[in-house]
Amino acid sequence: MSSQKLFAFLLSLATVQMAFSGDIDVLTDFLLPPKVTQVDSNFFTFTRMRALVGAPLATNFTVTTASLPEFPALNGQSVSYAILQFPAGTSSPLHEHPRSGELLFLVKGHLTVGFVDTTDKLFVQKLQKGDMFLFPKGLVHFQYNRGKTIATAISAFGSVNPGTESLPNTLFITGIDDTILAKSFKTDIATIKHLKAGLAPRT
């Protein structure tokens, strides 16, 4: 096989891989759940956010999502949302979304946000009400409320199911061997066990 044909073949494989890495391509106006043949306007309406209106202020970092598991009408539409509530002094765990970027819109309070790119460069910004910030797809990021009042943000995603991989949980409660973790973090097993104990669910 000539180098040109090999390059074309590899390029076509990469293109196919990119096509399958995102949401499905819809060939109809919308997709219905299995065994559903007719829908009305209620199918396209999501009402669970009503519970946030007038509710007591959150006391812990809270995420309320409108993604495919909660809202089947989103299937094939490449969009989802989350409402994030940050009481004073709280933060999201370090995390990333493997299937989508995140566009955060701060509607109340102040947040310090940031992400790390693949060259290990840290980007940090202090946001105030009305600001937006983009977390690129697949990059580790955080949000932290340094203020004295609650902060509320709306996050939009370019996937019906962006996924969330929490680094503390992924690293320390999934059963990765303590020796491997200790070597990776250049520390000792006792420190790893201490970190794991702090993440273990309280009984």
Side-chain angles (χ1 to χ4, degrees), residues 71-88:
F71 193 9
L74 294 179
N75 194 16
Q77 302 303 318
S78 299
V79 66
S80 58
Y81 278 87
I83 306 297
L84 312 175
Q85 296 176 292
F86 301 85

Side-chain angles (χ1 to χ4, degrees), residues 4-18:
Q4 282 185 324
K5 288 182 179 178
L6 178 60
F7 176 76
F9 175 70
L10 293 174
L11 183 62
S12 66
L13 284 180
T15 303
V16 168
Q17 180 59 37
M18 285 190 298

Side-chain angles (χ1 to χ4, degrees), residues 63-137:
V63 181
T64 307
T65 56
S67 59
L68 183 59
E70 302 87 17
F71 193 9
L74 294 179
N75 194 16
Q77 302 303 318
S78 299
V79 66
S80 58
Y81 278 87
I83 306 297
L84 312 175
Q85 296 176 292
F86 301 85
T90 63
S91 68
S92 62
L94 289 169
H95 65 283
E96 57 95 12
H97 305 290
R99 294 183 288 275
S100 175
E102 174 181 357
L103 183 59
L104 180 142
F105 174 47
L106 187 60
V107 296
K108 181 178 182 180
H110 296 80
L111 283 178
T112 299
V113 300
F115 68 89
V116 179
D117 73 8
T118 55
T119 68
D120 295 332
K121 181 176 180 180
L122 174 64
F123 296 83
V124 178
Q125 187 62 274
K126 292 182 178 179
L127 304 181
Q128 61 184 14
K129 182 171 68 173
D131 291 346
M132 301 180 83
F133 191 83
L134 173 67
F135 302 101
K137 177 180 177 180

Side-chain angles (χ1 to χ4, degrees), residues 121-171:
K121 181 176 180 180
L122 174 64
F123 296 83
V124 178
Q125 187 62 274
K126 292 182 178 179
L127 304 181
Q128 61 184 14
K129 182 171 68 173
D131 291 346
M132 301 180 83
F133 191 83
L134 173 67
F135 302 101
K137 177 180 177 180
L139 297 185
V140 174
H141 60 278
F142 63 88
Q143 303 107 2
Y144 174 48
N145 181 3
R146 295 180 183 269
K148 296 181 179 179
T149 60
I150 194 167
T152 303
I154 301 171
S155 284
F157 300 93
S159 171
V160 297
N161 191 6
T164 299
E165 187 172 22
S166 165
L167 268 65
N169 290 347
T170 298
L171 294 171

